[in-house]
mmCIF file of all heavy atoms in Angstrom:
data_model
loop_
_atom_site.group_PDB
_atom_site.id
_atom_site.type_symbol
_atom_site.label_atom_id
_atom_site.label_comp_id
_atom_site.label_asym_id
_atom_site.label_seq_id
_atom_site.Cartn_x
_atom_site.Cartn_y
_atom_site.Cartn_z
ATOM 1 N N VAL A 49 92.568 182.924 289.706
ATOM 2 C CA VAL A 49 91.794 181.696 289.464
ATOM 3 C C VAL A 49 90.446 181.750 290.172
ATOM 4 O O VAL A 49 90.218 182.600 291.089
ATOM 5 C CB VAL A 49 92.576 180.453 290.005
ATOM 6 C CG1 VAL A 49 93.872 180.238 289.272
ATOM 7 C CG2 VAL A 49 92.817 180.597 291.522
ATOM 8 N N SER A 50 89.566 180.848 289.759
ATOM 9 C CA SER A 50 88.286 180.716 290.437
ATOM 10 C C SER A 50 87.901 179.273 290.706
ATOM 11 O O SER A 50 86.969 178.996 291.452
ATOM 12 C CB SER A 50 87.136 181.343 289.587
ATOM 13 O OG SER A 50 87.351 182.686 289.356
ATOM 14 N N GLY A 51 88.587 178.327 290.005
ATOM 15 C CA GLY A 51 88.114 176.957 290.087
ATOM 16 C C GLY A 51 89.208 175.926 290.189
ATOM 17 O O GLY A 51 90.075 175.986 291.032
ATOM 18 N N GLY A 52 89.179 174.979 289.262
ATOM 19 C CA GLY A 52 90.029 173.808 289.302
ATOM 20 C C GLY A 52 91.528 174.108 289.239
ATOM 21 O O GLY A 52 92.330 173.427 289.846
ATOM 22 N N GLY A 53 91.871 175.106 288.456
ATOM 23 C CA GLY A 53 93.281 175.510 288.399
ATOM 24 C C GLY A 53 94.142 174.599 287.527
ATOM 25 O O GLY A 53 95.356 174.593 287.698
ATOM 26 N N SER A 54 93.529 173.923 286.536
ATOM 27 C CA SER A 54 94.393 173.061 285.699
ATOM 28 C C SER A 54 95.316 173.904 284.839
ATOM 29 O O SER A 54 96.421 173.462 284.529
ATOM 30 C CB SER A 54 93.529 172.124 284.862
ATOM 31 O OG SER A 54 92.783 172.846 283.909
ATOM 32 N N ASN A 55 94.893 175.098 284.502
ATOM 33 C CA ASN A 55 95.809 175.964 283.716
ATOM 34 C C ASN A 55 96.935 176.507 284.569
ATOM 35 O O ASN A 55 98.069 176.652 284.134
ATOM 36 C CB ASN A 55 95.018 177.089 283.066
ATOM 37 C CG ASN A 55 94.308 176.618 281.808
ATOM 38 O OD1 ASN A 55 94.959 176.367 280.813
ATOM 39 N ND2 ASN A 55 92.990 176.486 281.885
ATOM 40 N N LEU A 56 96.620 176.782 285.846
ATOM 41 C CA LEU A 56 97.700 177.146 286.792
ATOM 42 C C LEU A 56 98.696 175.989 286.856
ATOM 43 O O LEU A 56 99.919 176.176 286.803
ATOM 44 C CB LEU A 56 97.086 177.401 288.171
ATOM 45 C CG LEU A 56 98.074 177.411 289.354
ATOM 46 C CD1 LEU A 56 99.035 178.577 289.277
ATOM 47 C CD2 LEU A 56 97.310 177.420 290.689
ATOM 48 N N GLN A 57 98.155 174.774 286.977
ATOM 49 C CA GLN A 57 98.999 173.569 287.054
ATOM 50 C C GLN A 57 99.885 173.437 285.816
ATOM 51 O O GLN A 57 101.061 173.115 285.939
ATOM 52 C CB GLN A 57 98.122 172.336 287.187
ATOM 53 C CG GLN A 57 98.888 171.059 287.514
ATOM 54 C CD GLN A 57 99.458 171.114 288.928
ATOM 55 O OE1 GLN A 57 98.735 171.382 289.868
ATOM 56 N NE2 GLN A 57 100.755 170.866 289.063
ATOM 57 N N ALA A 85 92.265 175.156 292.873
ATOM 58 C CA ALA A 85 93.534 175.819 292.492
ATOM 59 C C ALA A 85 94.322 176.215 293.737
ATOM 60 O O ALA A 85 95.578 176.231 293.696
ATOM 61 C CB ALA A 85 93.217 177.052 291.660
ATOM 62 N N ARG A 88 96.458 173.415 294.719
ATOM 63 C CA ARG A 88 97.601 173.256 293.776
ATOM 64 C C ARG A 88 98.713 174.262 294.153
ATOM 65 O O ARG A 88 99.889 173.936 294.124
ATOM 66 C CB ARG A 88 97.126 173.505 292.357
ATOM 67 C CG ARG A 88 96.108 172.512 291.854
ATOM 68 C CD ARG A 88 95.819 172.828 290.381
ATOM 69 N NE ARG A 88 94.687 172.168 289.836
ATOM 70 C CZ ARG A 88 94.696 170.986 289.197
ATOM 71 N NH1 ARG A 88 95.813 170.329 289.045
ATOM 72 N NH2 ARG A 88 93.606 170.479 288.687
ATOM 73 N N LEU A 128 95.193 185.426 283.903
ATOM 74 C CA LEU A 128 93.819 185.012 284.284
ATOM 75 C C LEU A 128 93.649 183.590 283.781
ATOM 76 O O LEU A 128 93.673 183.345 282.575
ATOM 77 C CB LEU A 128 92.790 185.937 283.644
ATOM 78 C CG LEU A 128 92.962 187.447 283.893
ATOM 79 C CD1 LEU A 128 91.748 188.204 283.329
ATOM 80 C CD2 LEU A 128 93.152 187.766 285.348
ATOM 81 N N ALA A 129 93.530 182.675 284.699
ATOM 82 C CA ALA A 129 93.421 181.246 284.331
ATOM 83 C C ALA A 129 92.140 180.703 284.943
ATOM 84 O O ALA A 129 92.135 180.179 286.035
ATOM 85 C CB ALA A 129 94.669 180.480 284.857
ATOM 86 N N GLY A 130 91.059 180.887 284.196
ATOM 87 C CA GLY A 130 89.761 180.479 284.705
ATOM 88 C C GLY A 130 89.275 181.392 285.803
ATOM 89 O O GLY A 130 88.607 180.959 286.716
ATOM 90 N N PHE A 131 89.588 182.688 285.683
ATOM 91 C CA PHE A 131 89.146 183.682 286.673
ATOM 92 C C PHE A 131 87.799 184.228 286.232
ATOM 93 O O PHE A 131 87.694 184.886 285.217
ATOM 94 C CB PHE A 131 90.188 184.798 286.776
ATOM 95 C CG PHE A 131 89.896 185.808 287.861
ATOM 96 C CD1 PHE A 131 89.855 185.439 289.187
ATOM 97 C CD2 PHE A 131 89.684 187.157 287.523
ATOM 98 C CE1 PHE A 131 89.574 186.394 290.169
ATOM 99 C CE2 PHE A 131 89.438 188.098 288.484
ATOM 100 C CZ PHE A 131 89.385 187.702 289.810
ATOM 101 N N LEU A 132 86.755 183.930 287.027
ATOM 102 C CA LEU A 132 85.402 184.224 286.585
ATOM 103 C C LEU A 132 84.884 185.558 287.072
ATOM 104 O O LEU A 132 83.818 185.662 287.656
ATOM 105 C CB LEU A 132 84.463 183.085 287.027
ATOM 106 C CG LEU A 132 84.720 181.722 286.435
ATOM 107 C CD1 LEU A 132 83.732 180.705 286.971
ATOM 108 C CD2 LEU A 132 84.674 181.766 284.934
ATOM 109 N N ASN A 149 94.832 186.237 279.274
ATOM 110 C CA ASN A 149 93.746 185.345 279.637
ATOM 111 C C ASN A 149 93.740 184.180 278.666
ATOM 112 O O ASN A 149 94.129 184.333 277.504
ATOM 113 C CB ASN A 149 92.390 186.111 279.504
ATOM 114 C CG ASN A 149 91.207 185.242 279.828
ATOM 115 O OD1 ASN A 149 91.174 184.536 280.868
ATOM 116 N ND2 ASN A 149 90.208 185.249 278.959
ATOM 117 N N VAL A 150 93.306 183.028 279.154
ATOM 118 C CA VAL A 150 93.107 181.887 278.235
ATOM 119 C C VAL A 150 91.613 181.660 278.102
ATOM 120 O O VAL A 150 90.868 181.622 279.090
ATOM 121 C CB VAL A 150 93.866 180.628 278.730
ATOM 122 C CG1 VAL A 150 93.377 180.156 280.115
ATOM 123 C CG2 VAL A 150 93.699 179.478 277.731
ATOM 124 N N HIS A 151 91.165 181.540 276.853
ATOM 125 C CA HIS A 151 89.731 181.358 276.575
ATOM 126 C C HIS A 151 89.583 180.075 275.731
ATOM 127 O O HIS A 151 90.296 179.893 274.763
ATOM 128 C CB HIS A 151 89.151 182.572 275.832
ATOM 129 C CG HIS A 151 87.689 182.433 275.608
ATOM 130 N ND1 HIS A 151 86.758 182.633 276.594
ATOM 131 C CD2 HIS A 151 87.012 182.049 274.493
ATOM 132 C CE1 HIS A 151 85.534 182.389 276.118
ATOM 133 N NE2 HIS A 151 85.670 182.018 274.845
ATOM 134 N N PRO A 152 88.591 179.246 276.103
ATOM 135 C CA PRO A 152 88.480 177.934 275.446
ATOM 136 C C PRO A 152 87.673 177.949 274.151
ATOM 137 O O PRO A 152 86.812 177.087 273.973
ATOM 138 C CB PRO A 152 87.826 177.052 276.534
ATOM 139 C CG PRO A 152 86.956 178.009 277.269
ATOM 140 C CD PRO A 152 87.666 179.341 277.256
ATOM 141 N N SER A 153 87.982 178.864 273.255
ATOM 142 C CA SER A 153 87.415 178.814 271.888
ATOM 143 C C SER A 153 88.348 179.606 271.011
ATOM 144 O O SER A 153 89.253 180.279 271.492
ATOM 145 C CB SER A 153 86.027 179.420 271.833
ATOM 146 O OG SER A 153 86.086 180.845 271.859
ATOM 147 N N ALA A 163 80.140 183.887 278.124
ATOM 148 C CA ALA A 163 80.750 182.703 277.493
ATOM 149 C C ALA A 163 81.924 182.264 278.374
ATOM 150 O O ALA A 163 83.032 182.790 278.254
ATOM 151 C CB ALA A 163 81.219 183.015 276.083
ATOM 152 N N TYR A 164 81.638 181.331 279.269
ATOM 153 C CA TYR A 164 82.721 180.841 280.133
ATOM 154 C C TYR A 164 82.414 179.382 280.497
ATOM 155 O O TYR A 164 81.287 178.908 280.371
ATOM 156 C CB TYR A 164 82.853 181.687 281.410
ATOM 157 C CG TYR A 164 81.607 181.708 282.236
ATOM 158 C CD1 TYR A 164 81.371 180.730 283.213
ATOM 159 C CD2 TYR A 164 80.678 182.715 282.089
ATOM 160 C CE1 TYR A 164 80.215 180.765 283.980
ATOM 161 C CE2 TYR A 164 79.498 182.744 282.846
ATOM 162 C CZ TYR A 164 79.288 181.766 283.800
ATOM 163 O OH TYR A 164 78.143 181.792 284.545
ATOM 164 N N GLY A 165 83.461 178.697 280.887
ATOM 165 C CA GLY A 165 83.296 177.297 281.320
ATOM 166 C C GLY A 165 82.632 176.409 280.268
ATOM 167 O O GLY A 165 82.894 176.570 279.051
ATOM 168 N N LEU A 166 81.768 175.542 280.735
ATOM 169 C CA LEU A 166 81.112 174.577 279.817
ATOM 170 C C LEU A 166 80.230 175.264 278.783
ATOM 171 O O LEU A 166 80.009 174.720 277.682
ATOM 172 C CB LEU A 166 80.271 173.602 280.618
ATOM 173 C CG LEU A 166 80.944 172.352 281.185
ATOM 174 C CD1 LEU A 166 79.913 171.501 281.919
ATOM 175 C CD2 LEU A 166 81.629 171.545 280.071
ATOM 176 N N VAL A 168 80.794 177.647 276.831
ATOM 177 C CA VAL A 168 81.501 177.877 275.573
ATOM 178 C C VAL A 168 81.411 176.619 274.692
ATOM 179 O O VAL A 168 81.139 176.727 273.490
ATOM 180 C CB VAL A 168 82.996 178.209 275.864
ATOM 181 C CG1 VAL A 168 83.776 178.443 274.580
ATOM 182 C CG2 VAL A 168 83.121 179.389 276.800
ATOM 183 N N HIS A 169 81.602 175.494 275.292
ATOM 184 C CA HIS A 169 81.582 174.230 274.530
ATOM 185 C C HIS A 169 80.170 173.860 274.140
ATOM 186 O O HIS A 169 79.948 173.299 273.061
ATOM 187 C CB HIS A 169 82.309 173.140 275.333
ATOM 188 C CG HIS A 169 83.666 173.569 275.748
ATOM 189 N ND1 HIS A 169 84.698 173.716 274.847
ATOM 190 C CD2 HIS A 169 84.163 173.963 276.951
ATOM 191 C CE1 HIS A 169 85.786 174.157 275.473
ATOM 192 N NE2 HIS A 169 85.467 174.306 276.756
ATOM 193 N N ALA A 182 91.514 176.991 271.480
ATOM 194 C CA ALA A 182 91.735 177.937 272.586
ATOM 195 C C ALA A 182 92.503 179.144 272.084
ATOM 196 O O ALA A 182 93.217 179.082 271.067
ATOM 197 C CB ALA A 182 92.531 177.254 273.700
ATOM 198 N N THR A 183 92.344 180.216 272.821
ATOM 199 C CA THR A 183 92.985 181.504 272.489
ATOM 200 C C THR A 183 93.619 182.069 273.742
ATOM 201 O O THR A 183 93.017 182.063 274.802
ATOM 202 C CB THR A 183 91.922 182.516 271.968
ATOM 203 O OG1 THR A 183 91.244 181.959 270.871
ATOM 204 C CG2 THR A 183 92.573 183.835 271.593
ATOM 205 N N ASP A 192 87.193 189.313 276.612
ATOM 206 C CA ASP A 192 87.773 188.488 275.528
ATOM 207 C C ASP A 192 88.102 189.336 274.271
ATOM 208 O O ASP A 192 88.161 188.810 273.166
ATOM 209 C CB ASP A 192 86.838 187.341 275.094
ATOM 210 C CG ASP A 192 86.596 186.380 276.280
ATOM 211 O OD1 ASP A 192 87.544 186.148 277.062
ATOM 212 O OD2 ASP A 192 85.461 185.874 276.379
ATOM 213 N N GLN A 214 85.414 169.946 276.281
ATOM 214 C CA GLN A 214 86.179 170.813 277.191
ATOM 215 C C GLN A 214 87.514 170.171 277.565
ATOM 216 O O GLN A 214 88.557 170.829 277.534
ATOM 217 C CB GLN A 214 85.376 171.047 278.481
ATOM 218 C CG GLN A 214 86.104 171.901 279.488
ATOM 219 C CD GLN A 214 85.328 172.054 280.792
ATOM 220 O OE1 GLN A 214 84.881 171.045 281.373
ATOM 221 N NE2 GLN A 214 85.142 173.264 281.225
ATOM 222 N N VAL A 217 89.924 170.259 274.561
ATOM 223 C CA VAL A 217 90.443 171.623 274.339
ATOM 224 C C VAL A 217 91.481 171.988 275.369
ATOM 225 O O VAL A 217 92.519 172.578 275.088
ATOM 226 C CB VAL A 217 89.267 172.668 274.322
ATOM 227 C CG1 VAL A 217 89.785 174.086 274.382
ATOM 228 C CG2 VAL A 217 88.408 172.456 273.094
ATOM 229 N N MET A 218 91.243 171.555 276.605
ATOM 230 C CA MET A 218 92.239 171.817 277.660
ATOM 231 C C MET A 218 93.542 171.100 277.333
ATOM 232 O O MET A 218 94.622 171.695 277.292
ATOM 233 C CB MET A 218 91.725 171.363 279.005
ATOM 234 C CG MET A 218 90.744 172.307 279.636
ATOM 235 S SD MET A 218 90.184 171.656 281.231
ATOM 236 C CE MET A 218 89.567 173.125 281.995
ATOM 237 N N GLU A 222 94.750 174.490 275.599
ATOM 238 C CA GLU A 222 94.989 175.434 276.705
ATOM 239 C C GLU A 222 96.286 175.177 277.473
ATOM 240 O O GLU A 222 97.074 176.060 277.702
ATOM 241 C CB GLU A 222 93.816 175.425 277.693
ATOM 242 C CG GLU A 222 92.526 175.869 277.093
ATOM 243 C CD GLU A 222 91.409 175.917 278.120
ATOM 244 O OE1 GLU A 222 91.580 176.552 279.164
ATOM 245 O OE2 GLU A 222 90.338 175.319 277.890
ATOM 246 N N TRP A 223 96.471 173.903 277.868
ATOM 247 C CA TRP A 223 97.632 173.573 278.703
ATOM 248 C C TRP A 223 98.928 173.657 277.934
ATOM 249 O O TRP A 223 100.012 173.703 278.527
ATOM 250 C CB TRP A 223 97.468 172.147 279.314
ATOM 251 C CG TRP A 223 96.238 171.984 280.175
ATOM 252 C CD1 TRP A 223 95.496 172.982 280.747
ATOM 253 C CD2 TRP A 223 95.623 170.785 280.552
ATOM 254 N NE1 TRP A 223 94.453 172.452 281.451
ATOM 255 C CE2 TRP A 223 94.499 171.096 281.364
ATOM 256 C CE3 TRP A 223 95.893 169.426 280.298
ATOM 257 C CZ2 TRP A 223 93.679 170.116 281.908
ATOM 258 C CZ3 TRP A 223 95.063 168.451 280.848
ATOM 259 C CH2 TRP A 223 93.960 168.813 281.641
ATOM 260 N N LEU A 226 99.078 178.169 276.956
ATOM 261 C CA LEU A 226 99.186 179.175 278.027
ATOM 262 C C LEU A 226 100.612 179.269 278.561
ATOM 263 O O LEU A 226 101.180 180.368 278.608
ATOM 264 C CB LEU A 226 98.167 178.935 279.127
ATOM 265 C CG LEU A 226 98.145 180.007 280.196
ATOM 266 C CD1 LEU A 226 97.762 181.352 279.666
ATOM 267 C CD2 LEU A 226 97.236 179.601 281.364
HETATM 268 C C1 GRF B 20 89.375 176.909 281.231
HETATM 269 O O1 GRF B 20 88.662 176.259 280.246
HETATM 270 C C2 GRF B 20 89.735 178.302 280.804
HETATM 271 O O2 GRF B 20 89.965 178.436 279.444
HETATM 272 C C3 GRF B 20 88.471 179.027 281.160
HETATM 273 O O3 GRF B 20 88.022 178.455 282.373
HETATM 274 C C4 GRF B 20 88.552 177.114 282.469
HETATM 275 C C5 GRF B 20 89.344 177.068 283.753
HETATM 276 O O4 GRF B 20 89.863 175.813 284.036
HETATM 277 N N1 GRF B 20 88.701 180.452 281.157
HETATM 278 P P1 GRF B 20 90.957 175.625 285.170
HETATM 279 O O5 GRF B 20 90.433 176.294 286.434
HETATM 280 O O6 GRF B 20 92.250 176.221 284.703
HETATM 281 O O7 GRF B 20 91.063 174.126 285.360
#
Side-chain angles (χ1 to χ4, degrees):
V49 296
S50 300
S54 66
N55 280 289
L56 163 67
Q57 190 68 52
R88 297 185 193 267
L128 307 186
F131 185 62
L132 296 179
N149 179 49
V150 60
H151 182 77
S153 76
Y164 60 87
L166 273 182
V168 179
H169 306 290
T183 303
D192 298 324
Q214 179 184 50
V217 168
M218 281 180 161
E222 296 184 53
W223 300 341
L226 185 63

